[in-house]
């Protein structure tokens, strides 16, 4: 199994290009299931989660053609197997995103119920409740969600909590439903807006994406379209944190600061100078950061997907930070690994108190999930000596060519077996 060996202590410096967003690309790949015409995508990141989703829709009968370096053409004329088997769903919870589109297009879907994962229980009851409100018969049999509806009907849906993939699934179901669907308490994440933009290009009628009230007028059919995936705001934030933590100075290109206000505010509060142009972000870090407290909340507040990275940067900042995780119940697995590198972190339920120490020391640590592994990379870049990160397949799920990108910024990072 691959590991990542980092020789820490080098301030990051230089330019790096940000890839397309994993969490926008995943639902948009599923959008191809809604039409028999080709969907052409660009800026698709090369990631393990994307490969898993392509295998999943491929076995359903979707023809996948690579188009240049980061393009794909998806043709689901031959869609004939509306099934998401356990073997695939267990490796990637986002597989549940096929459910809404399959019921809408095929009238039926069988999708393995995702289990819990390293960051929490993560039920999908809201996805099911929404489909039931739209007239689907939904049962859980032998670990599979089995949903059936000859044609979904528009409905008014209020989700119990803000759910990103729940909102995306229901939006995909509603675009082909009969009549109007209203999703209240909808997720406002930029990835929801990117999906809505793609669906609109395919002929869907959607108003309000990016707000908590989305109104969708169902249409008879969707057509093919071309769409460029938005830049990855979490990859962007992760490189900003890496530069901040190492006292570096970097310029990130092919990205946008407009989806990152909460993260950029916190980095400024920590003492970084940040300058933004429409497609670039430049960051210059101080010699030592100030501790910054964060509380995770749905967009536009501070994202849970940046919590682990901020724990890493606070571990060597001046002062004490309080980190509160309110989205997932078990998203502090990185804390114990950071402690192995010398961090001073006290955990109390969903609160972590991080008191900055003068330095971290390299050690062998274990990645437990995608963003936890990103925080360990940042810690490894700060630490004195060598850090060896085990189980970096978690990292490969969401960070494209990370060792190459970090090497461009001057880091000493090597993949080893
Ligand atoms: N929830 C329920 N029932 C549901 C749906 C959600 O109880 O039916 C709960 C969850 O257990 C959680 C909260 O609601 O406590 C919010 O979960 P949400 O549904 O928003 O998460 P998700 O859609 O499964 C997406 C991202 C995650 C990101 C979260 C929160 C994708 C593919 N995944 O997950 O990304 O952390 O939103 O922003 O978009 C990552 O990239 O590392 C990652 C985990």
């Amino acid at each position: 199994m691959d590991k990542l060996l980092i020789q820490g202590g080098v301030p990051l410096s230089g330019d790096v290009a940000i890839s397309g967003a994993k969490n926008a690309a995943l639902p948009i790949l599923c959008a191809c299931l809604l039409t028999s015409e080709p969907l052409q995508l660009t800026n698709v990141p090369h990631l393990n989660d994307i490969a898993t989703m392509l295998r999943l829709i491929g076995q359903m009968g979707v023809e996948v053609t690579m188009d240049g370096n980061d393009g794909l053409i998806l043709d689901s004329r031959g869609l004939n197997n509306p099934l998401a088997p356990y073997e695939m769903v267990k490796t990637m919870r986002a597989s549940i995103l096929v459910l809404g589109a399959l019921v809408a297009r095929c009238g039926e879907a069988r999708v393995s119920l995702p289990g819990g994962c390293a960051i929490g229980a993560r039920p999908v009851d809201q996805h099911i409740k929404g489909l039931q409100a739209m007239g689907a018969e939904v049962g859980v049999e032998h670990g599979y969600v089995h949903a059936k509806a000859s044609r979904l009907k528009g409905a008014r849906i209020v989700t119990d909590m803000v759910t990103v993939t729940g909102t995306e699934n229901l939006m995909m179901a509603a675009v082909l439903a009969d009549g109007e669907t209203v999703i209240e308490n909808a997720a406002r994440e930029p990835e929801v807006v990117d999906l809505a933009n793609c669906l609109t290009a395919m002929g869907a009628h959607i108003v309000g994406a990016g707000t908590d009230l989305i109104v969708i007028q169902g249409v008879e059919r969707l057509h093919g379209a071309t769409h460029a995936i938005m830049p990855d705001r979490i990859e962007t934030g992760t490189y900003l944190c890496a530069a901040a933590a190492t006292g570096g100075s970097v310029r990130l290109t092919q990205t946008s600061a407009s989806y990152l206000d909460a993260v950029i505010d916190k980095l400024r509060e920590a003492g970084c100078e940040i300058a933004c142009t429409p497609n670039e972000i430049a960051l210059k870090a101080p010699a030592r950061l100030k501790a910054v407290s964060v509380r995770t909340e749905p967009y536009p507040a501070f994202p849970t997907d940046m919590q682990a990275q901020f724990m890493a940067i606070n571990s060597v900042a001046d002062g004490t930070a309080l980190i509160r995780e309110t989205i997932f119940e078990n998203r502090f697995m990185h804390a114990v690994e950071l402690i192995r590198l010398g961090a001073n972190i006290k955990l109390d339920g969903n609160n972590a108190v991080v008191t900055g120490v003068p330095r971290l020391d390299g050690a062998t640590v274990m990645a437990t999930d995608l963003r936890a592994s990103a925080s360990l990379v940042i810690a490894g870049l700060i630490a004195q000596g060598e850090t060896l990160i085990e189980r970096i397949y978690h990292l490969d799920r969401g960070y494209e060519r990370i060792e190459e990108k970090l090497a461009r910024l001057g880091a000493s990072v090597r993949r080893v077996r």
Side-chain angles (χ1 to χ4, degrees), residues 19-78:
S19 303
K22 166 181 83 82
N23 289 348
L26 288 170
I28 288 171
L29 294 180
C30 300
C32 84
L33 300 168
L34 290 161
T35 175
S36 56
E37 295 180 19
L39 177 63
Q40 187 168 7
L41 301 174
T42 57
N43 205 30
V44 182
H46 296 96
L47 298 169
N48 286 356
D49 274 10
I50 300 296
T52 304
M53 188 61 92
L54 290 176
R55 270 202 310 282
L56 178 64
I57 59 176
Q59 61 85 43
M60 292 175 185
V62 176
E63 199 181 296
V64 179
T65 312
M66 302 297 160
D67 184 25
N69 180 40
D70 61 7
L72 282 179
I73 300 170
L74 305 171
D75 186 339
S76 48
R77 234 176 330 175

Side-chain angles (χ1 to χ4, degrees), residues 189-191 233-234 237 259-264 266 294-310 324-328 331 371:
E189 268 65 4
E191 292 77 11
R233 64 191 168 105
I234 305 301
Y259 329 108
L260 268 170
D261 287 343
V263 169
I264 288 176
K266 285 292 165 188
V294 300
R295 177 191 162 95
T296 66
E297 296 280 0
Y299 189 85
F302 188 88
T304 173
D305 291 343
M306 287 301 302
Q307 177 260 105
Q309 299 87 321
F310 270 71
R324 296 198 70 182
E325 172 58 55
T326 75
I327 308 290
F328 293 110
R331 212 175 194 184
R371 307 305 170 186

Side-chain angles (χ1 to χ4, degrees), residues 303-349:
T304 173
D305 291 343
M306 287 301 302
Q307 177 260 105
Q309 299 87 321
F310 270 71
M311 194 179 286
I313 70 171
N314 274 310
S315 66
V316 288
D318 228 1
T320 297
L322 174 63
I323 300 199
R324 296 198 70 182
E325 172 58 55
T326 75
I327 308 290
F328 293 110
E329 64 272 23
N330 187 27
R331 212 175 194 184
F332 279 156
M333 303 281 276
H334 42 283
V336 284
E337 301 298 310
L338 293 173
I339 290 169
R340 302 193 62 253
L341 297 173
N344 178 352
I345 303 170
K346 302 272 180 294
L347 294 181
D348 178 14

